[in-house]
Amino acid sequence: MTQTLSIAALFDTIVAIFAKAGLSPDQAAAVARTVTAGERDACKSHGIYRIEGCLRTVKAGKVNPLAEPTVTVDGAIVRVDAQGGFAPLAFERGAPVLAETARRHGLAAMAIGDCVHFSALWPEIEQLTAQGLAALAMCPSYSSVAPAGGIQALLGTNPLAFGWPRPGNPYVFDFATSVVARGEVELHRRAGKPIPEGWAIDAEGAATTDPTAALAGALLPFGGHKGSAISTMIELLAAAMIGENDSVTARKVLGDMTLSPTHGELVLAFDPRRFTADPFTAAEALLEAIAGQGARLPSQRRFAARAAAETEGITLTPDETARLERFLSLGLDAV
Ligand code: NDP
Ligand code: PYC
């Protein structure tokens, strides 16, 4: 039987799972906020599905469950040292300082270092757009994507997210620079379903629709050479430039892609009003013209799912409920 939980009840369950796994209250709450947000917004590849990988990473000793991130400011650069902990708390600790620094200078950059990263980026972007800022976030992950024209996993699935503040819901896009997130391929494997053509190649470089072969081979970048170049830019800015692991190093250090990788993240924040007196009238005209053609804006699906979850709750499958119960009762012995 399916089970329907309120957003608050799901959040409390996830906090309890991570507390039992040994995370500090602040780490557990920050991780639970991002996982709950994924499930609430029907982003299954970064919702409760991620809990198992996080628990495995704790059990393997590859994340500091008690980490207390530190924040320092150097001009328009905010540095957050995650101290080996999960990324969400590091972001939450740095975001108010990033926002204040962006308002002071017109723009600011936040470099998060030494964080274990498993999450979608839009929950972070929305924390900044809620303060009237435009924002761009990116990070490497671990080698699982072949560069355009190549056949071996080298780049990460490297997400890129952007947000622009609007009255009501912001304009936000957030996508992997591979055709899809690796999590989506893992969910197909778990469900015993083939993946569409064009997502991946196998270990020999041949096109495949078998998710297991795809995970052993490589995903493809979105948009051919264009996605490949954007992904490369992310390796340069959010790894080389900030002195953190690139996707090759993150995979080598981790040695196991059922765990979450350690690397950095780069977040840029802009105060649009510091660039021109009224940036918002022209922005609204553009966004309304796009929607006016019947095109959907990115994140509209998520916002609709969120509105539904807020009134109707979140429905979990019997398998998802059983997994949560197992994590809650067995803790790290469940993985
Ligand atoms: P999708 O392809 O599902 O969606 C990407 C974006 O495009 C979303 O903003 C989505 O909005 C929007 N979109 C989708 N379809 C349309 C459409 N028809 N018209 C307009 N907009 C559309 O996501 P991905 O599989 O690429 O990535 C999923 C998540 O995985 C991301 O949140 C990303 O941050 C995360 N990720 C994290 C990684 C990490 O290392 N931490 C690595 C890789 C990915 P909507 O949501 O409303 O559908
Ligand atoms: O889905 O590609 C992915 C991913 C990698 C790390 C976190 N999510």
Side-chain angles (χ1 to χ4, degrees), residues 82-99:
Q83 307 278 352
F86 287 113
L89 184 61
F91 178 86
E92 287 182 10
R93 290 280 166 85
V97 184
L98 174 66

Side-chain angles (χ1 to χ4, degrees), residues 251-317:
R251 180 168 175 175
K252 209 176 284 170
V253 167
L254 201 61
D256 178 349
M257 289 210 286
T258 66
L259 310 178
S260 304
T262 299
H263 50 67
E265 179 179 345
L266 182 68
V267 187
L268 307 177
F270 307 83
D271 184 347
R273 281 160 298 232
R274 294 289 300 274
F275 289 79
T276 189
D278 176 20
F280 296 118
T281 303
E284 282 307 301
L286 171 67
L287 298 172
E288 282 167 15
I290 294 170
Q293 290 195 11
R296 96 156 161 88
L297 294 176
S299 293
Q300 273 183 351
R301 180 198 61 85
R302 271 196 313 105
F303 294 139
R306 182 181 307 180
E310 279 162 357
T311 54
E312 295 154 25
I314 297 170
T315 299
L316 302 179
T317 64

Side-chain angles (χ1 to χ4, degrees), residues 11-102:
F11 171 76
D12 290 345
T13 302
I14 298 172
V15 169
I17 287 170
F18 282 105
K20 184 165 176 112
L23 268 65
S24 68
D26 284 356
Q27 285 283 343
V31 168
R33 267 188 284 279
T34 193
V35 169
T36 306
E39 206 58 37
R40 177 201 65 199
D41 283 18
C43 293
K44 296 301 282 186
S45 67
H46 289 78
I48 58 174
Y49 154 73
R50 288 282 159 187
I51 295 175
E52 187 166 337
C54 290
L55 295 180
R56 281 186 199 285
T57 312
V58 176
K59 190 169 180 174
K62 302 270 189 183
V63 62
N64 176 359
L66 306 176
E68 278 295 328
T70 58
V71 184
T72 52
V73 182
D74 169 13
I77 300 175
V78 177
R79 290 196 176 84
V80 183
D81 183 341
Q83 307 278 352
F86 287 113
L89 184 61
F91 178 86
E92 287 182 10
R93 290 280 166 85
V97 184
L98 174 66
E100 186 196 316
T101 310

Side-chain angles (χ1 to χ4, degrees), residues 174-195:
D174 177 16
F175 51 70
T177 46
S178 42
V179 178
V180 284
R182 195 166 188 275
E184 200 58 54
V185 180
E186 288 170 350
L187 285 172
H188 276 72
R189 184 187 55 77
R190 189 180 275 184
K193 292 199 294 200
I195 55 172

Side-chain angles (χ1 to χ4, degrees), residues 62-141:
K62 302 270 189 183
V63 62
N64 176 359
L66 306 176
E68 278 295 328
T70 58
V71 184
T72 52
V73 182
D74 169 13
I77 300 175
V78 177
R79 290 196 176 84
V80 183
D81 183 341
Q83 307 278 352
F86 287 113
L89 184 61
F91 178 86
E92 287 182 10
R93 290 280 166 85
V97 184
L98 174 66
E100 186 196 316
T101 310
R103 278 194 210 96
R104 188 173 328 123
H105 296 290
L107 75 171
M110 177 161 78
I112 301 176
D114 195 20
C115 67
V116 172
H117 211 296
F118 67 89
S119 52
L121 301 184
W122 54 260
E124 302 178 349
I125 289 290
E126 286 190 26
Q127 288 181 48
L128 296 167
T129 54
Q131 299 183 58
L133 301 171
L136 198 58
M138 63 191 84
C139 67
S141 58

